[in-house]
């Protein structure tokens, strides 16, 4: 996010009666808001411009919000807050497990939404890598470039990694051989505002294991510490990149 420019939000909702007044309200609160009425239109907007955060409805004609969110976390490092009338716990878990950063149930108080947007943006800024420009992490033949948010496997291939997976991996790499319990991982990766459940943390760890472990069913690097949480059981080196 550019400190000199207002945060740029993409508001995606097929209900014009909600989307348009909400967009105007957020603009008055100091955000630059671009509106989209469908996932297809949102994809076009995302190709044409950079955004700091996406506000995304789940239930839309055509491609739904869950599908679009899955695409975003797999291809872009972009925070997502769901706006939806579906408030059951299972729906919240599904959305957060996909990689959304927060979840607001309609009808909501606009001031609460603004507070949540600012909280997610602060967390994204706080979780920005505090490394020198050309520094990377190496572990077991893997390399993570924090500034480019690029994960490279031991054979040199780039492995796609979502925003949540990146933050989770950073938490482990910055605290190797330390036990991180679920509460601490919530604070470091998603923030307590997201109201995640232990199951969601476990599923995010499982997703990351499928990316970096030889056998995710018998993990050697990201180990479960029963009753305690998880630990990256390997050494980590900080190295300087050539370019």
């Amino acid at each position: 996010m550019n400190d000199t420019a207002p945060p740029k939000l993409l508001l995606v909702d097929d209900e014009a009666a909600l989307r348009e007044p909400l967009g105007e309200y957020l603009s008055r609160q100091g955000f630059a808001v671009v509106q989209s009425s469908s996932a297809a239109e949102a994809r076009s907007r995302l190709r044409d411009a950079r955004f700091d955060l996406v506000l995304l409805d789940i239930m839309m004609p055509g491609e739904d919000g869950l599908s679009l969110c899955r695409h975003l976390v797999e291809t872009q490092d972009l925070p997502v807050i769901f706006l939806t009338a579906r408030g059951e716990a299972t729906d919240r878990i599904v959305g957060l497990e996909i990689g959304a950063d927060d979840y607001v149930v309609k009808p909501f108080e606009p001031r609460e939404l603004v507070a949540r947007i600012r909280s997610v943006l602060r967390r994204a800024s706080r979780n920005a890598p505090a490394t020198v420009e050309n520094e990377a992490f190496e572990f077991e033949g893997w390399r993570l470039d924090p500034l480019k948010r690029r994960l490279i496997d031991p054979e040199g291939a780039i492995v796609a990694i979502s925003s949540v997976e990146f933050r989770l991996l950073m938490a482990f790499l910055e605290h190797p051989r330390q036990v991180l319990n679920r509460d601490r991982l919530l604070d470091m990766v998603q923030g307590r505002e997201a109201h995640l459940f232990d199951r969601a943390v476990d599923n995010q760890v499982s997703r990351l294991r499928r990316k970096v472990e030889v056998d995710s069913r018998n993990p050697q690097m990201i180990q479960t510490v029963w009753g305690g949480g998880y630990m990256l059981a390997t050494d980590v080196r900080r190295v300087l990149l050539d370019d």
Side-chain angles (χ1 to χ4, degrees):
M1 185 172 60
N2 189 333
D3 292 336
T4 63
K8 191 170 185 179
L9 312 180
L10 179 60
L11 172 57
V12 188
D13 196 308
D14 65 299
E15 295 183 39
L18 180 145
R19 185 186 70 250
E20 293 175 357
L22 178 58
E24 294 175 2
Y25 176 82
L26 293 173
S27 297
R28 293 196 299 272
Q29 299 304 309
F31 299 104
V33 182
V34 175
Q35 300 184 28
S36 294
S37 60
S38 67
E41 184 180 359
R43 284 177 180 261
S44 177
R45 299 281 194 187
L46 289 160
R47 285 192 295 267
D48 294 338
R50 294 183 61 84
F51 295 89
D52 297 302
L53 184 144
V54 176
L55 299 169
L56 180 58
D57 185 31
I58 285 185
M59 299 299 293
M60 295 186 294
E63 182 182 9
D64 65 18
L66 292 174
S67 173
L68 179 57
C69 180
R70 187 177 294 109
H71 167 74
L72 290 176
V73 300
E74 290 175 352
T75 61
Q76 300 190 38
D77 177 37
L78 187 59
V80 175
I81 297 178
F82 275 127
L83 308 177
T84 177
R86 301 177 65 179
E88 295 83 357
T90 53
D91 294 323
R92 292 199 298 272
I93 292 172
V94 168
L96 293 167
E97 284 176 351
I98 288 174
D101 291 78
D102 208 343
Y103 191 110
V104 180
V105 180
K106 301 174 185 176
F108 51 82
E109 167 58 52
R111 288 178 298 178
E112 177 188 356
L113 175 60
V114 169
R116 288 178 177 270
I117 291 171
R118 288 175 175 158
S119 175
V120 169
L121 290 173
R122 282 196 303 271
R123 188 162 66 246
S125 176
R126 186 172 67 244
N127 289 334
T131 59
V132 298
E133 184 174 351
N134 61 337
E135 189 175 66
F137 293 91
E138 284 189 349
F139 60 103
E140 296 293 331
W142 290 78
R143 175 176 289 189
L144 179 69
D145 180 344
L147 290 179
K148 294 181 179 178
R149 303 204 171 194
R150 186 168 61 185
L151 179 63
I152 302 173
D153 71 13
E155 284 70 46
I158 296 176
V159 176
I161 188 170
S162 73
S163 176
V164 173
E165 290 165 352
F166 168 79
R167 294 197 297 268
L168 182 60
L169 181 56
M170 281 293 295
F172 285 125
L173 293 175
E174 290 178 335
H175 302 86
R177 301 192 182 280
Q178 296 182 36
V179 177
L180 303 177
N181 63 32
R182 290 176 176 84
D183 284 343
R184 190 173 181 191
L185 285 171
L186 284 175
D187 289 333
M188 296 170 70
V189 177
Q190 294 270 170
R192 298 302 298 182
E193 300 91 341
H195 307 298
L196 281 175
F197 300 86
D198 284 354
R199 171 188 160 193
V201 176
D202 295 340
N203 283 347
Q204 291 294 349
V205 170
S206 295
R207 289 167 65 93
L208 181 58
R209 280 171 169 165
R210 288 196 291 270
K211 298 285 179 72
V212 302
E213 297 279 3
V214 174
D215 180 1
S216 61
R217 293 169 297 181
N218 183 31
Q220 300 300 306
M221 286 191 290
I222 304 175
Q223 296 184 358
T224 300
V225 180
W226 299 113
Y230 297 97
M231 177 178 69
L232 182 66
T234 188
D235 293 327
V236 177
R237 292 196 310 137
R238 294 176 183 249
V239 299
L240 295 179
L241 300 171
D242 295 333
D243 54 316

